[in-house]
Amino acid sequence: MIIIGEKINGTIPVVKEAIEKRDATFIADRAIKQTEAGAHFIDICASTAPEYEIETLKWLIEVVQDATDTPLCIDSPNPRVIESVFKYANKPGMLNSISEEGDKCEILLPLMEGNSWEVVGLTCDNNGIPCDVQTKVDITKIMVEKAAKYGVTPDRIHIDPCVMALSTENNSLLNFAQEIREIKELYPTIHVTGAISNISFGLPVRSLLNKTCMAFAIQAGVDSAVMDPLNRDMMGTIYATYALLGQDKHCRKYSKAFRAGQIGTLTK
């Protein structure tokens, strides 16, 4: 499982405050702890007013890169902002994100030509997030074809099928699993990712739904996730699911994670 750590995001109140105060120690600590917990990428999202976003992302990039060697996932809804701060990354990471909305593909995919940068691809377009499986698969095909023109192979793409809230879509998980399977069937080397916690929006005991959804998603083929790597219960679910599916020989990774203190009840 490729873990994209989500804890440096300006929509989180304590992070917003740290960004406003330019509290580099707080941001660095979040980056380090996510790395220690197993994050493969550190997502950085400013979520500031548009006129301050480039300056803020540049600062976040500098702080996180000084704190850890973990690659960045540069996150903004505005592709021009990502384009502007791309040059400050000291190594290839991930762009978050392209879609068929506007000209995101046309702006960001050229940045990936001739290097090893990866990208998140959202299955939405100018009409929003489709509710049906086939449209999401069709959008995936379009993005993969566009990426190929710049030498970006499927193994560098993380497709996010945009899991819907179960409270508004009764078949949310069933559709999500079908989308994962069809996308992986078309492109076996492509990554399928997502913010799994979206499924529990508006419902009680969200963590229970999130963990269960993650297990089903892994079984369907999800191999990447935008999540909190410090969430021990979720990390435990991931390791346990791989072991139960026979994808962790002799449960070595599960046992190693326990010995490393990444899963299980913390002892005082």
Side-chain angles (χ1 to χ4, degrees):
M1 175 68 71
I2 299 168
I3 306 296
I4 305 166
E6 67 178 3
K7 291 178 69 66
I8 300 178
N9 190 310
T11 62
I12 303 170
V14 291
V15 176
K16 178 182 179 181
E17 182 179 358
I19 288 173
E20 291 172 347
K21 293 180 178 179
R22 290 297 191 264
D23 187 345
T25 301
F26 178 91
I27 298 297
D29 182 63
R30 285 212 154 197
I32 292 167
K33 285 180 177 176
Q34 288 184 96
T35 295
E36 292 174 343
H40 301 92
F41 295 89
I42 303 294
D43 189 88
I44 53 169
C45 182
S47 295
T48 60
E51 60 268 29
Y52 303 120
E53 190 177 10
I54 291 175
E55 173 196 348
T56 303
L57 267 178
K58 180 178 181 293
W59 177 75
L60 286 171
I61 288 171
E62 292 170 349
V63 171
V64 173
Q65 288 185 153
D66 283 344
T68 178
D69 290 331
T70 304
L72 301 173
C73 177
I74 305 175
D75 188 347
S76 173
N78 185 343
R80 291 297 182 189
V81 169
I82 296 176
E83 182 185 42
S84 296
V85 301
F86 176 80
K87 60 189 175 185
Y88 300 116
N90 62 16
K91 68 172 68 174
M94 186 179 296
L95 306 179
N96 191 0
S97 56
I98 59 170
S99 69
E100 274 303 286
E101 179 187 8
D103 54 1
K104 291 184 177 182
C105 284
E106 288 69 27
I107 294 171
L108 296 182
L109 288 175
L111 301 178
M112 301 175 63
E113 188 170 17
N115 55 50
S116 59
W117 277 82
E118 300 181 29
V119 67
V120 174
L122 306 179
T123 55
C124 56
D125 57 19
N126 291 323
N127 296 314
I129 301 174
C131 295
D132 65 294
V133 173
Q134 189 57 53
T135 303
K136 290 185 178 182
V137 172
D138 291 341
I139 291 172
T140 297
K141 291 179 183 178
I142 294 170
M143 289 191 289
V144 170
E145 289 170 3
K146 287 184 177 181
K149 295 177 182 178
Y150 298 95
V152 179
T153 50
D155 60 302
R156 292 169 58 193
I157 303 172
H158 297 244
I159 293 294
D160 182 350
C162 301
V163 62
M164 308 297 285
L166 187 63
S167 56
T168 60
E169 173 50 66
N170 197 56
N171 291 324
S172 176
L173 174 60
L174 299 177
N175 290 341
F176 185 45
Q178 184 64 25
E179 290 150 10
I180 296 165
R181 286 191 291 266
E182 292 196 19
I183 290 168
K184 292 292 281 188
E185 184 176 355
L186 281 171
Y187 308 105
T189 62
I190 208 166
H191 301 290
V192 182
T193 191
I196 300 295
S197 61
N198 289 347
I199 200 165
S200 64
F201 183 79
L203 292 170
V205 199
R206 294 188 64 184
S207 62
L208 182 58
L209 290 164
N210 295 343
K211 289 183 292 182
T212 307
C213 178
M214 178 64 84
F216 278 110
I218 291 172
Q219 184 180 35
V222 152
D223 61 353
S224 170
V226 181
M227 59 169 282
D228 175 6
L230 299 174
N231 184 328
R232 297 173 62 82
D233 287 341
M234 183 61 86
M235 292 296 286
T237 295
I238 291 170
Y239 281 108
T241 301
Y242 279 116
L244 290 166
L245 290 174
Q247 298 178 28
D248 179 8
K249 190 174 182 179
H250 302 307
C251 303
R252 288 170 181 162
K253 293 180 181 178
Y254 178 86
S255 298
K256 182 180 179 181
F258 174 73
R259 290 193 300 271
Q262 291 180 302
I263 62 174
T265 304
L266 282 172
T267 56
K268 296 183 180 179

